[in-house]
Structure formats: C-alpha cells, structure tokens
C-alpha cells in the first residue's frame, strides 16, 4: 500500500493517496472549514490531477474536525472585497461553481462525508458527489436567505429537484435538516453512525478495487450503514409544505401559514411564518423565482443563472447588509431593502433575471 502526501499539515486542504483512493480534507476547522478561494483552487487542482491518474480509482472528500464538513464560503472575505472595490467576490463564485461542476461530472466515484455542518458551499461540493454520507451530527442546509443572499452553488438545480415543494421550503426558509430528512429528500445516500467512520477509513484502506469502483464503495458502505432512517420530520410535513410552498409568491405563503390550518401543523406553520419574516424579503422572492426557473433548466444553465444573479447581487441585493448585521457588527438587526414583503415590488425581482 503506497501513500504519498501532496500537502503539508498546515495547508487549508490536505491531500493524499492511499490504496488507490485520493483523500481530500478541508482543513480550516476553526472556521468550520468554510471555503476560501485558495481552498477552491487546491481542490480543483487535485480533482484535475487525479482525473487522469490511473493509480487513483476514487476520491473521498471530508472536513477536518467533528463540527463540520463545510459551513459554506468565507463570506466575510467576499464582503470585504466588494467594499474595497476589489474583484475577489466575482472571481470566487466563478471558480467555486466551476469546481462544483467538475465534481458533478467527475468520471471516478466521489464519496463525501457530510459529518457536522454542511451548509451553502459545503452543499455545493457534496451534491455533485456519487456517495453522500450523513451521520447523526449532520446539519444540512442552504441558509443564504438569512444573510440576504440566495441558495447558489447549484441550489437552483438540486433543491428544485427534491420531490414536491420540499426544496422550495428549504431554499426560501433556509431551514436546516438532519440525517433522516437528508435521506428522505434525496440530499444524502447513506447514513453512518459517526462511531463507524474509523471502520469506514479502515475499510477504504483495505478495499480491493475490481472493474466497478463505485460498486466496491457501495458494498463497503452497505456493511456499515443504511440508506433509510425512520421518522423523517419532513415526511410527515410533506402534504402541508406541498400546499403552502406551491402558492404563487412569498407574501401568499406567509399569509396562509398564519391563517390556514392543515391537520395538526398549526404550530409549525406559525413558527415557519415567523422564520420567513426574519429573512430578507428580496432574497426570498428571488430564491422562489430562481427555484421555479431551475426546475426546467439543465445543471449548466442553473449555474449560469446563479452567476447572472451574483453579478448584480452585491450591488443591488441584501448580502452586504446581511453580513454586516450577522457577521461584522453582530447586532442581528439587518435593515433589509425593502424591509417588508408588502413593500417589495414584483418588478424588482424580475429585474435580476433580465438578460438571462
């Protein structure tokens, strides 16, 4: 068994090949492994290198530390770039989306361990992988509307393809889900208890690859985990979510959540309405429009649509104010523009999609 490390222990991405498997570890545990441009470029370099290396049969992607696989992009640095009149915030999204697309189209199986927080940019990396593994510590979500942004990194593709309106709910509310819901929504493939991760690593180091590396990895996972968990909360809420989140716009969704009772879901509905009213009205409305358009677009077209929105969003969206309120000043009192759903004009939403 040969092992050749290609990185040093302090690098933001650790890379090594063991037993014909390329291992990539996001190595910023203090920042919940949030992605920087350097990390995006390092990941891309290794994926490109291993794509053509006959010694590498598969790739395993994970985050350092027990708290998170990847809690998104390093949004603070993007805020600072825009404020300083620099271009990092533009370059970052172009290269991040290109990396996500590489993973979606990768010809060798990619296994991702979504242990702990897997949010935003972390979901972008994970959803293109062939084998997406969750544990009891997993917290998955696209929480962008909470900082005045929209679910990107392919969210317009993978959220819009979840059955019913579950993906609409996840995108517009920014709600986080755990393992059972991740499997139920098709955002994960396997559940493994976190105390089995060491056994998985041992199995990976001993694995004998045949002609079908993906099948070999699936067989290994099948001996350690399961593909279905009982008691997925979203399964019970599905009829309710399908009703409310199919409504024509966000104001209608909020109004009906407050006034229409379906079964015993009233407490959930009111809590959800409260949650929506704390989010950026503009971000939620653009998200709803984006997800509905994404249903009928290819993966590439979804990424192009998100990039089209990105190019306008720092100037005309709510992200700069969201980052100020939640990350910089931490007053948690964002002054959204407009401040309420009632004040949001439809034309303002549609302008973002002009020229697509």
């Amino acid at each position: 068994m040969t092992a050749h490390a290609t990185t040093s222990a302090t690098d933001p991405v650790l890379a090594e090949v063991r037993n014909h498997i390329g291992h990539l570890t996001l190595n910023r545990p203090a920042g919940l492994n949030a992605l920087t441009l350097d990390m995006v470029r390092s990941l891309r370099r290794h994926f490109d290198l291993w794509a053509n290396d006959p010694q590498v049969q598969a790739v395993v992607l994970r985050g350092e530390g027990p708290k998170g696989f990847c809690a998104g992009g390093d949004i603070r640095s993007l805020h600072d770039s825009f404020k300083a009149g620099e271009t990092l915030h533009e370059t970052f999204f172009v290269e991040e989306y290109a990396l996500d697309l590489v993973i979606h189209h990768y010809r060798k199986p990619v296994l991702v361990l979504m242990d702990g927080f897997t949010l935003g940019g972390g979901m972008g990396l994970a959803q293109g992988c062939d084998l997406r593994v969750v544990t009891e510590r997993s917290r998955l979500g696209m929480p962008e509307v909470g900082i005045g942004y929209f679910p990107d990194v392919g969210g317009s593709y993978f959220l819009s393809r979840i059955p019913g309106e579950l993906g609409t709910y996840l995108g517009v509310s920014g709600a986080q889900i755990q393992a059972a819901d991740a499997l139920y929504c098709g955002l994960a493939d396997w559940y493994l208890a976190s105390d089995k991760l060491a056994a998985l690593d041992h199995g990976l180091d001993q694995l004998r690859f045949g002609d079908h590396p993906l099948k070999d990895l699936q067989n290994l996972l099948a001996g350690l985990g399961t593909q279905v968990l009982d008691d997925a909360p979203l399964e019970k809420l599905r009829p309710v979510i399908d009703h409310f989140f199919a409504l024509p716009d966000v104001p209608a969704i909020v109004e009906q959540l407050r006034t229409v009772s379906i079964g015993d879901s009233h407490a959930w509905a009111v809590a959800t309405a409260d949650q929506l009213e704390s989010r950026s009205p503009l971000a939620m409305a653009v998200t709803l429009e984006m997800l509905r358009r994404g249903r009928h677009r290819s993966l590439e077209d979804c990424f192009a649509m998100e990039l089209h929105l990105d190019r306008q969003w720092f100037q005309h969206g709510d992200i700069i104010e969201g980052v100020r309120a939640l990350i910089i000043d931490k007053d948690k009192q964002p002054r959204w523009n407009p401040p309420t759903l009632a004040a949001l004009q439809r034309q303002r939403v549609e302008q973002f999609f002009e020229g697509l």
Side-chain angles (χ1 to χ4, degrees), residues 288-322:
L288 184 63
E289 177 68 21
M290 180 189 79
L291 292 175
R292 290 185 172 165
R293 287 171 178 248
R295 273 185 186 160
H296 312 292
R297 281 180 153 77
S298 68
L299 179 66
E300 283 75 10
D301 285 351
C302 281
F303 274 110
M305 172 168 62
E306 293 166 14
L307 211 50
H308 179 80
L309 295 174
D310 277 325
R311 293 197 172 111
Q312 309 164 69
W313 200 259
F314 280 77
Q315 189 83 49
H316 302 293
D318 265 341
I319 188 168
I320 295 299
E321 173 59 16

